[in-house]
């Protein structure tokens, strides 16, 4: 659809208003300047980071926010990975010309000559022309025409920009270097520190501006959580403190939490030499990689959720009752009560797999304390398996029916989902124990297990490939799994889409896969490619594989129609346009301290991956676009509604009735997928 010049002008000028409600209520309209497309917003101030950026990135921040090289100004139509590129990776700047969507009133046609300029020396190091994508076709998922400027031949480390000589504009600055993603990984991983419940965020570990006391440890909270169905019974109280907030609220879901541990364990095991002990968390410097310390923090909570009979409780949540300060800012000011749900088969199976893989990985670190911890995890895994086998159909659907009000998202699965969880648990139990019982269960369910490869089954397929990598796996099954995976990659939208260049932004997932959490989808798609290397699939070109996978990383880092980094507040690393605000109970709308970069004192903490474009976004039914009505100010915003899939995004954090969580909420599931992909491109110290 075409967006009028009037609407676009209102969005960019700040004249359009939208409601600024929060927590289920409404408040005065919020100026639209706070929800304009991110590329039009330059932060007024950026809090200092305790994770030091490279000197080139730090020195470029001022230049990147306005202009550099005389009159050459930054254009949102020349999009690049704003962190940078590895020396020997594929490097392609995308030049975009909007045809449909909120920016359709604008246009850009590249000039005849493009240059790669070293921003430190002003030297032109490469010159060429931009090549039209698909002979000028419009990419429907983005509503853009596009051109590619390939500067892959430049491998010399430095600080660069892509310049359109004729139009006198350039891209944001970026680095070329072997370690361009290392500080990014630290920030992304540190988001779990900020998500810790029941743990103080204090200097020097919390960065200046994002300190807080321990949350959810008051009367009736996590240390004294009660069964949701028996709230008045003190006999049900359990100490379930710790763990991580699951997303932008303060709930904790066992099925999902256990999987985050699995994903982080894979991130470590697939590239163990890159993980260092200097991420500036309280455990840093203890001789254990900080990712393992964070994993252990997660396991400490999961262990509390396991009952003595081996079963695992399903959820620790905050009731949606009208309790005061239920999801308050900062987290330590939240005073509402905590409740848990009963054990379920799915939560127990997912936990069994996590306990088992944790036992396997931690036992391999040759650390006496962790060896003892790993042995305990192994016992817990086998106890959980035994309970789940004896109780195969125990379900609990939180926040539905009699459990309405407990938590928010639904984590329960159907019969097929439990069967998948059981097989996945068996894979990790076999790795930890070597027992033929688990191997037999795995082998019996291996038929066509990896014959379909897509983003939606990536966690399960990764588990199968992990099984195929184990030395004691059944040889014929392992060979079949790898062959299936290789065959699947030569079909559908895997290698054909990449080799045909079907996405000008070089991150093809298909329009239909742009749904809630599309940035997780992007990350998982990149992982499906890199699995070919990680799990030794034969007959591949490793350079081609890595170039395919890194394209998905480039997309998250700025090679997208928004020309923005989809991580929060990354200006300390020299980016030009980053997520300025996102839906989170701490970094809440209208907070004078943490709402938005450049308007509030600090903005949100750095390193959180937001959900991303979501064409199914919709505001509450009481809002009507362009018409004043209750709670919606003068008009509900567009974007994100009614846009091409990749443009269905807005840099805002307004709660009900505009429901920004559909596109800008963080989620640990997004975070672990991104961290695992990013870690593939970070060198060992």
């Amino acid at each position: 659809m075409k967006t009028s010049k009037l609407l676009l002008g209102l969005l960019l000028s700040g004249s359009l208003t939208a409601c600024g409600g929060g927590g289920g209520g409404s408040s005065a309209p919020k100026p639209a300047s706070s929800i304009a497309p991110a590329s039009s917003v330059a932060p007024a101030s950026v809090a200092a980071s305790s994770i030091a950026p490279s000197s080139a990135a730090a020195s470029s921040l001022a230049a990147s926010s306005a202009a550099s090289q005389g009159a050459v100004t930054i254009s949102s139509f020349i999009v690049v990975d704003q962190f940078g590129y590895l020396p020997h990776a594929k490097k392609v700047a995308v030049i975009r010309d909007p045809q449909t969507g909120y920016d359709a009133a604008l246009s850009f046609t590249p000039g005849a000559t493009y240059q790669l300029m070293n921003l430190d020396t002003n030297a032109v190091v490469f010159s060429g022309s931009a090549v039209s994508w698909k002979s000028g076709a419009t990419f429907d998922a983005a509503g853009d025409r596009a051109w590619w400027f390939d500067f892959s031949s430049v491998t010399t480390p430095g600080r660069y920009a892509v310049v359109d000589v004729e139009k006198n504009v350039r891209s944001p600055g970026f680095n070329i270097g072997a370690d361009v993603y290392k500080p990014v990984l630290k920030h992304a991983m540190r988001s779990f520190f900020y998500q810790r419940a029941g743990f103080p965020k204090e200097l020097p570990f919390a960065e200046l501006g994002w300190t807080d006391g321990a949350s959810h440890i008051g009367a009736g909270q996590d240390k004294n959580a009660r069964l949701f169905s028996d709230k008045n019974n003190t006999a049900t109280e359990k100490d379930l403190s710790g763990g991580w907030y699951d997303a932008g609220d303060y709930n904790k879901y066992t099925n999902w939490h256990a999987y985050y541990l699995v994903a982080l364990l894979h991130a470590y095991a697939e590239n163990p030499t890159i993980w260092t002990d200097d991420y500036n968390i309280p455990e840093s410097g203890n001789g254990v990689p900080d990712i393992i310390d964070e994993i252990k923090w997660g396991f400490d909570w999961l262990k509390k959720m396991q009952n003595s009979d081996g079963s695992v409780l399903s959820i620790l949540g905050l009731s949606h009752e009208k309790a005061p300060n239920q999801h308050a800012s900062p987290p330590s000011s939240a005073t509402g009560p905590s409740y848990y749900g009963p054990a379920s088969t799915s939560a127990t199976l997912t936990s069994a797999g996590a306990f088992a893989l944790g036992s396997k990985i931690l036992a391999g670190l040759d650390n006496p304390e962790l060896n003892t911890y790993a042995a305990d995890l192994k016992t817990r895994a086998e106890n959980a398996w035994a309970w789940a086998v004896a109780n195969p159909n125990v379900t609990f659907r939180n926040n539905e029916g009699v459990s309405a009000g407990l938590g928010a998202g639904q984590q329960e699965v159907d019969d097929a989902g439990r069967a998948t969880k059981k097989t996945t648990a068996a894979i990790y139990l076999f790795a930890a124990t070597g027992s033929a019982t688990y191997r037999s269960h795995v082998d019996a369910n291996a038929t066509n297990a990896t014959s379909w490869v897509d983003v939606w089954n990536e966690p399960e397929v990764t588990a199968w490939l992990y099984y195929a990598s184990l030395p004691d796996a059944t040889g014929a099954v392992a060979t079949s799994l790898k062959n299936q995976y290789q065959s699947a990659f030569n079909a559908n939208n895997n290698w054909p889409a990449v080799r045909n260049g079907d996405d000008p932004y070089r991150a093809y997932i298909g329009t239909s896969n742009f749904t809630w959490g599309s940035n997780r989808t992007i990350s998982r798609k990149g992982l499906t490619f890199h699995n070919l290397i990680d799990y030794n699939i034969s007959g591949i070109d490793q350079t081609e594989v890595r170039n395919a996978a890194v394209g998905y990383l480039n997309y998250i880092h700025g090679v997208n129609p928004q020309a923005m980094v989809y991580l929060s507040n990354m200006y300390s690393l020299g980016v030009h346009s980053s997520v300025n605000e996102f839906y989170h109970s701490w970094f809440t709308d209208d907070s004078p301290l943490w709402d938005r970069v450049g308007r509030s004192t600090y903005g949100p903490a750095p390193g959180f991956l937001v959900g991303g474009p979501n064409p199914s976004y919709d505001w509450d039914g009481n809002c009507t676009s362009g018409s004043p009505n209750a709670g919606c100010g003068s008009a509900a915003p567009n974007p994100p509604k009614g846009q091409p899939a990749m443009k269905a995004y807005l840099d805002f954090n307004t709660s009900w009735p505009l429901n920004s969580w559909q596109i800008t909420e963080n989620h640990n599931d997004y975070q672990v997928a991104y961290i695992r992909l990013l870690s593939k491109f970070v060198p060992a110290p």
Side-chain angles (χ1 to χ4, degrees):
M1 60 177 282
K2 290 279 185 180
T3 300
S4 70
K5 291 184 179 180
L6 174 61
L7 175 58
L8 187 64
L10 290 172
L11 279 166
L12 297 181
S13 69
S15 300
L16 186 65
T17 59
C19 80
S26 62
S27 63
K30 179 178 182 178
S33 60
S34 67
I35 58 174
S39 57
S40 69
V41 180
S45 63
V46 179
S49 169
S50 65
I51 303 294
S54 67
S55 58
S59 65
S60 73
L61 179 56
S64 294
S65 64
S68 172
Q69 310 308 320
V72 182
T73 57
I74 293 174
S75 169
S76 63
F77 300 118
I78 306 175
V79 298
V80 295
D81 186 317
Q82 293 179 36
F83 297 116
Y85 299 87
L86 300 177
H88 299 289
K90 190 81 169 176
K91 308 175 193 70
V92 178
V94 178
I95 298 91
R96 52 182 297 271
D97 177 24
Q99 302 296 303
T100 61
Y102 66 80
D103 53 355
L106 306 177
S107 63
F108 186 84
T109 302
T113 302
Y114 269 65
Q115 296 175 341
L116 187 69
M117 179 177 288
N118 186 305
L119 293 178
D120 295 323
T121 66
N122 296 342
V124 174
V125 301
F126 181 78
S127 183
S129 59
V131 178
S132 176
W133 179 81
K134 302 289 186 183
S135 302
T138 297
F139 182 51
D140 290 340
D144 293 341
R145 295 194 304 157
W147 292 258
W148 286 352
F149 177 63
D150 190 327
F151 54 97
S152 301
S153 61
V154 178
T155 61
T156 303
R159 183 75 177 167
Y160 298 93
V162 171
V163 180
D164 185 316
V165 177
E166 180 180 311
K167 297 300 178 68
N168 202 36
V169 294
R170 72 168 176 90
S171 73
F174 56 87
N175 292 325
I176 293 176
D179 61 351
V180 291
Y181 300 135
K182 187 172 184 177
V184 187
L185 181 63
K186 288 186 175 182
H187 275 302
M189 193 66 217
R190 281 173 50 79
S191 70
F192 279 92
F193 170 70
Y194 287 117
Q195 290 286 86
R196 289 187 186 185
F199 193 92
K201 288 82 175 179
E202 299 173 336
L203 295 172
F205 310 112
E207 295 163 89
L208 181 65
W210 300 293
T211 58
D212 188 29
S215 69
H216 300 92
I217 57 174
Q221 294 191 292
D222 290 2
K223 287 181 175 292
N224 308 100
R226 296 183 184 180
L227 183 65
F228 184 75
S229 60
D230 199 4
K231 298 176 184 176
N232 297 321
N233 186 354
T234 59
T236 68
E237 287 187 358
K238 293 177 178 288
D239 180 359
L240 302 177
S241 57
W244 303 301
Y245 315 133
D246 184 72
D249 58 29
Y250 301 143
N251 297 302
K252 289 169 272 189
Y253 306 84
T254 304
N255 263 315
W256 297 337
H257 181 102
Y259 172 68
Y260 308 151
L261 290 166
V262 168
L264 291 174
L265 286 162
H266 276 301
Y268 173 79
E270 289 160 0
N271 204 2
T273 61
I274 71 146
W275 298 100
T276 53
D277 191 21
D278 58 352
Y279 282 35
N280 194 36
I281 61 175
E283 298 85 356
S284 293
N286 64 356
V288 175
D290 282 345
I291 187 176
I292 298 297
D293 289 319
E294 200 63 59
I295 287 169
K296 186 175 179 295
W297 171 265
F299 270 125
D300 287 345
W301 179 77
L302 192 62
K303 288 165 60 175
K304 293 180 179 181
M305 295 293 283
Q306 186 172 35
N307 294 320
S308 59
D309 63 358
S311 64
V312 184
L313 301 174
S314 54
I315 181 175
L316 177 64
L318 303 178
S319 171
H320 286 182
E321 298 168 336
K322 299 298 182 180
N325 297 323
Q326 193 73 308
H327 292 283
S329 174
S332 64
S333 65
T335 58
S338 302
Y339 301 106
Y340 62 88
S344 69
T345 303
S346 62
T348 303
L349 285 169
T350 313
S351 298
F355 285 142
L357 185 60
S359 173
K360 173 72 172 179
I361 302 302
L362 297 187
L365 292 174
D366 195 27
N367 179 295
E369 180 180 346
L370 290 179
N371 285 344
T372 301
Y373 195 89
D376 178 60
L377 293 183
K378 180 180 174 182
T379 299
R380 290 176 178 276
E382 294 195 278
N383 289 343
W385 172 270
W387 186 90
V389 169
N391 300 272
N393 299 303
V394 178
T395 62
F396 179 72
R397 298 187 66 83
N398 61 274
N399 200 27
E400 293 184 16
V402 296
S403 66
L406 180 60
Q410 183 51 252
Q411 61 175 333
E412 190 54 275
V413 298
D414 57 14
D415 292 348
R418 285 194 301 280
T420 297
K421 287 179 179 294
K422 186 176 182 180
T423 301
T424 302
I427 289 171
Y428 297 134
L429 276 157
F430 171 66
T433 68
S435 170
T437 299
Y438 303 119
R439 181 172 56 196
S440 295
H441 182 86
V442 174
D443 290 350
N445 290 276
T447 303
N448 297 323
T450 58
S451 61
W452 176 60
V453 176
D454 201 3
V455 294
W456 304 110
N457 68 340
E458 183 275 321
E460 293 78 30
V461 169
T462 293
W464 281 111
L465 294 177
Y466 177 74
Y467 172 74
S469 74
L470 297 173
D472 294 331
T474 302
V477 173
T479 299
S480 176
L481 290 168
K482 290 184 176 184
N483 289 342
Q484 289 174 38
Y485 195 82
Q486 185 183 54
S487 296
F489 245 84
N490 291 322
N492 303 320
N493 293 320
N494 296 312
W495 279 131
V498 169
R499 289 167 176 164
N500 292 336
D502 288 344
D503 182 344
Y505 294 96
R506 301 182 61 248
Y508 185 88
I509 60 172
T511 303
S512 64
N513 283 333
F514 276 94
T515 59
W516 198 314
S518 65
N519 283 338
R520 175 192 60 184
T521 304
I522 289 285
S523 298
R524 284 185 173 178
K525 190 67 176 181
L527 286 170
T528 64
F529 282 91
H530 212 279
N531 276 342
L532 293 162
I533 295 174
D534 294 328
Y535 294 101
N536 299 311
I537 308 300
S538 63
I540 62 168
D541 181 329
Q542 290 203 7
T543 298
E544 181 186 33
V545 170
R546 284 180 63 80
N547 281 332
V550 81
Y552 294 87
L553 202 61
N554 298 150
Y555 168 91
I556 290 174
H557 293 170
V559 184
N560 56 64
Q562 271 65 251
M564 74 179 299
V565 175
Y566 281 127
L567 297 165
S568 62
N569 201 353
M570 298 299 284
Y571 297 104
S572 66
L573 297 189
V575 305
H576 174 66
S577 175
S578 181
V579 167
N580 294 296
E581 56 186 316
F582 66 100
Y583 183 84
H584 195 285
S585 295
W586 184 352
F587 317 120
T588 189
D589 188 24
D590 291 331
S591 164
L593 294 178
W594 302 298
D595 179 5
R596 183 178 180 88
V597 175
R599 185 179 63 203
S600 58
T601 302
Y602 302 111
F608 287 80
L609 180 68
V610 297
N614 176 12
S616 67
Y617 165 83
D618 202 356
W619 47 71
D620 193 84
N622 75 326
C623 293
T624 302
S625 182
S627 300
N629 50 62
C632 297
S634 62
N638 184 14
K641 187 174 179 178
Q643 295 294 315
M646 294 173 75
K647 290 180 182 174
Y649 188 81
L650 191 65
D651 192 23
F652 76 136
N653 64 355
T654 310
S655 185
W656 182 89
L658 296 185
N659 305 346
S660 66
W661 55 75
Q662 299 170 63
I663 56 173
T664 71
E665 187 174 12
N666 67 297
H667 195 291
N668 295 344
D669 202 22
Y670 314 157
Q671 201 78 17
V672 295
Y674 169 73
I675 285 171
R676 190 171 152 230
L677 177 61
L678 179 64
S679 68
K680 311 299 180 187
F681 301 97
V682 172

mmCIF file of all heavy atoms in Angstrom, residues 8 114 168 230 276 378 634 667:
data_model
loop_
_atom_site.group_PDB
_atom_site.id
_atom_site.type_symbol
_atom_site.label_atom_id
_atom_site.label_comp_id
_atom_site.label_asym_id
_atom_site.label_seq_id
_atom_site.Cartn_x
_atom_site.Cartn_y
_atom_site.Cartn_z
ATOM 1 N N LEU A 8 3.674 10.333 6.152
ATOM 2 C CA LEU A 8 5.117 10.169 6.330
ATOM 3 C C LEU A 8 5.734 11.410 6.961
ATOM 4 O O LEU A 8 6.559 11.333 7.862
ATOM 5 C CB LEU A 8 5.775 9.876 4.983
ATOM 6 C CG LEU A 8 7.261 9.524 5.053
ATOM 7 C CD1 LEU A 8 7.464 8.230 5.816
ATOM 8 C CD2 LEU A 8 7.852 9.439 3.671
ATOM 9 N N TYR A 114 30.195 4.144 -6.986
ATOM 10 C CA TYR A 114 30.206 3.890 -5.548
ATOM 11 C C TYR A 114 31.640 3.659 -5.095
ATOM 12 O O TYR A 114 32.442 3.051 -5.821
ATOM 13 C CB TYR A 114 29.323 2.691 -5.194
ATOM 14 C CG TYR A 114 27.900 3.109 -4.878
ATOM 15 C CD1 TYR A 114 27.097 3.673 -5.864
ATOM 16 C CD2 TYR A 114 27.386 2.996 -3.597
ATOM 17 C CE1 TYR A 114 25.815 4.098 -5.586
ATOM 18 C CE2 TYR A 114 26.099 3.413 -3.293
ATOM 19 C CZ TYR A 114 25.316 3.959 -4.288
ATOM 20 O OH TYR A 114 24.053 4.382 -3.994
ATOM 21 N N ASN A 168 26.254 12.262 -3.341
ATOM 22 C CA ASN A 168 26.921 12.911 -2.207
ATOM 23 C C ASN A 168 26.358 12.452 -0.865
ATOM 24 O O ASN A 168 26.138 13.247 0.048
ATOM 25 C CB ASN A 168 26.823 14.439 -2.330
ATOM 26 C CG ASN A 168 27.922 15.147 -1.528
ATOM 27 O OD1 ASN A 168 29.037 14.658 -1.447
ATOM 28 N ND2 ASN A 168 27.592 16.297 -0.959
ATOM 29 N N ASP A 230 -4.093 -22.900 45.121
ATOM 30 C CA ASP A 230 -4.283 -22.991 46.571
ATOM 31 C C ASP A 230 -3.539 -21.826 47.238
ATOM 32 O O ASP A 230 -2.692 -22.011 48.101
ATOM 33 C CB ASP A 230 -3.760 -24.341 47.073
ATOM 34 C CG ASP A 230 -4.316 -24.723 48.451
ATOM 35 O OD1 ASP A 230 -5.171 -23.971 48.972
ATOM 36 O OD2 ASP A 230 -3.878 -25.749 48.988
ATOM 37 N N THR A 276 35.070 -16.368 26.868
ATOM 38 C CA THR A 276 36.066 -15.903 27.829
ATOM 39 C C THR A 276 35.422 -15.609 29.188
ATOM 40 O O THR A 276 34.215 -15.740 29.368
ATOM 41 C CB THR A 276 36.770 -14.652 27.285
ATOM 42 O OG1 THR A 276 35.786 -13.669 26.918
ATOM 43 C CG2 THR A 276 37.600 -15.008 26.059
ATOM 44 N N LYS A 378 22.966 -34.855 36.230
ATOM 45 C CA LYS A 378 22.729 -36.160 35.614
ATOM 46 C C LYS A 378 21.667 -36.945 36.378
ATOM 47 O O LYS A 378 20.747 -37.534 35.775
ATOM 48 C CB LYS A 378 24.043 -36.941 35.553
ATOM 49 C CG LYS A 378 23.927 -38.323 34.929
ATOM 50 C CD LYS A 378 25.304 -38.994 34.921
ATOM 51 C CE LYS A 378 25.227 -40.429 34.437
ATOM 52 N NZ LYS A 378 26.560 -41.089 34.466
ATOM 53 N N SER A 634 -4.682 10.952 18.773
ATOM 54 C CA SER A 634 -5.304 11.450 17.554
ATOM 55 C C SER A 634 -5.345 10.420 16.449
ATOM 56 O O SER A 634 -6.154 10.525 15.534
ATOM 57 C CB SER A 634 -4.564 12.694 17.061
ATOM 58 O OG SER A 634 -3.221 12.367 16.741
ATOM 59 N N HIS A 667 12.656 -11.234 24.125
ATOM 60 C CA HIS A 667 12.304 -12.572 24.608
ATOM 61 C C HIS A 667 13.596 -13.374 24.648
ATOM 62 O O HIS A 667 14.395 -13.313 23.711
ATOM 63 C CB HIS A 667 11.287 -13.224 23.671
ATOM 64 C CG HIS A 667 10.600 -14.432 24.224
ATOM 65 N ND1 HIS A 667 11.246 -15.618 24.444
ATOM 66 C CD2 HIS A 667 9.312 -14.636 24.610
ATOM 67 C CE1 HIS A 667 10.388 -16.506 24.930
ATOM 68 N NE2 HIS A 667 9.209 -15.921 25.052
#
